[in-house]
Amino acid sequence: MAVNNAILLFGGTFDPIHNGHLIIARAVAEQLAVEKVILIPSAVPPHKMDQQISPAADRLQMTQLAVSEDYLFEVSDCELHRSGPSYTLETVLHFRQLCGPAVQLFWLIGADTISDLPGWYKISDLLEHCTIVTAARAGCEMNDWHLLSDKLTSPQILRLKKHVLQTPLIEISATEIRRRVKNNQSIHYLVPAAVNDYIVSGGLYQ
Ligand code: ATP
């Protein structure tokens, strides 16, 4: 991968990818002045194992369609080639190998994910290999920091808090999009037009 300074990694179920993801990713990328944003659809999100999730091929294709005309974004299918749960640490190590030691690796999460972090695989190690940046999310108070104290050191928690960025509050969720499609409501402007077309023509979320 031809980058010199920094990339922003953004993993998600992306079922489907929506404009909330894209708007916050671009806003964070601009603030951090990264050269690329890599969108990484996850195969089996460890925290969503009990939910029904669309096939990886559909989520990957929607993600590719969403950013096909934006030079800032690339899509990686690296998590889809691995068996078992998608661990962020493995993905970050994959990009470290790909980019070399000099490139700074940022990992983007939405504020609702902070409370999940204690359950992430080897979270303390992960923080030594990348910088987690958090985007505010409508309805999320971000007062879950104390939940991290069993797994992380105080300096690590401080570093997480320092990397909460000011981003537009976009009240869009994939859950709401799936609900709207099921109810025959429009999802125009919630997802890129090409993603809307893909969902409609494939009969997804019916
Ligand atoms: P679902 O509603 O199915 O849980 P989601 O909309 O949260 O999906 P995911 O693919 O699970 O989308 O999210 C990937 C990452 O993007 C998570 O860290 C999540 O917090 C973040 N994210 C998703 N939507 C937003 C949003 N509107 N604002 C800020 N962060 C978001």
Side-chain angles (χ1 to χ4, degrees), residues 118 123-124 145-154 156-157:
I123 179 65
S124 186
W145 302 108
H146 63 281
L147 299 174
L148 300 170
S149 54
D150 279 354
K151 294 282 176 80
L152 300 179
T153 62
S154 301
Q156 284 176 320
I157 296 176

Side-chain angles (χ1 to χ4, degrees), residues 10-16 18 20-21 24 47-48 51 108-113 135-138 167-176 178:
F10 189 18
T13 317
F14 300 145
D15 190 19
H18 54 68
H21 294 126
I24 62 152
H47 61 293
K48 291 187 178 177
Q51 293 173 30
L108 175 59
I109 59 171
D112 58 307
T113 301
R137 189 161 186 184
T167 49
L169 283 179
I170 310 291
E171 213 170 344
I172 302 176
S173 72
T175 304
E176 173 66 4
R178 294 192 299 273

